[in-house]
Amino acid sequence: MITKKAEYAVIALADLAALPHGQKTTTREIVERRKIPPNLLAQLLPVMRDAGWIKSTRGAGGGVFLCKDPAQITLRAAIELIDGPITITRCLFQSMPCGDKPSCPLRDVWKEAQEKMLHVLEKTTIQELAARIAASG
């Protein structure tokens, strides 16, 4: 399951990507524009900074900005940065979660659904989401 925390990280990244290249913004402005809880954003920004995706500066004229090309950040990468590997069900990632694994009729369905979901998340970039934000006003 994708957590709310990962959703907020994606929203924050898309917000930063929607700004003109190199433009800084404040965390307060992101919170106001995207309705992200301030304490959650404060937890997410250091993780994104440590990944090399954003930079932040303090003081007058300071702020947060995206330093990685948003076309190079996939939704999958952003979600996995926060949540770790994405999975529809534990059955696909555990070596032998149950005795029915070899003959389970659901396993192939879960596997197909997982592959399709990951494909969508892998092909969708933060830049694409930023364009959607810009188009929606």
Side-chain angles (χ1 to χ4, degrees):
M1 175 194 273
I2 297 168
T3 65
K4 197 69 173 166
K5 201 171 184 178
E7 286 182 44
Y8 284 136
V10 168
I11 291 166
L13 286 166
D15 181 81
L16 291 169
L19 298 172
H21 180 69
Q23 180 178 326
K24 294 177 186 175
T25 190
T26 66
T27 55
R28 173 176 276 156
E29 290 169 336
I30 297 170
V31 163
E32 290 172 3
R33 280 192 300 265
R34 303 297 162 211
K35 310 300 183 235
I36 298 172
N39 60 331
L40 212 51
L41 187 60
Q43 293 172 30
L44 296 170
L45 292 177
V47 175
M48 293 186 281
R49 185 188 62 235
D50 291 347
W53 295 356
I54 66 165
K55 287 189 179 177
S56 59
T57 56
R58 294 180 182 260
V64 180
F65 65 98
L66 196 62
C67 62
K68 180 168 176 139
D69 180 355
Q72 300 301 312
I73 305 172
T74 66
L75 233 54
R76 179 180 181 176
I79 293 165
E80 288 184 344
L81 179 68
I82 305 302
D83 287 348
I86 302 166
T87 180
I88 285 180
T89 179
R90 293 177 309 216
C91 145
L92 297 176
F93 279 100
Q94 294 180 352
S95 57
M96 268 307 219
C98 70
D100 294 336
K101 186 174 180 180
S103 61
C104 178
L106 285 173
R107 183 159 168 60
D108 288 339
V109 173
W110 292 144
K111 188 175 180 188
E112 181 181 0
Q114 174 84 12
E115 289 168 358
K116 289 181 179 184
M117 176 187 64
L118 291 178
H119 174 73
V120 170
L121 296 176
E122 188 65 37
K123 74 177 184 125
T124 306
T125 67
I126 294 298
Q127 180 175 316
E128 291 172 39
L129 293 179
R132 292 180 186 193
I133 287 173
S136 68

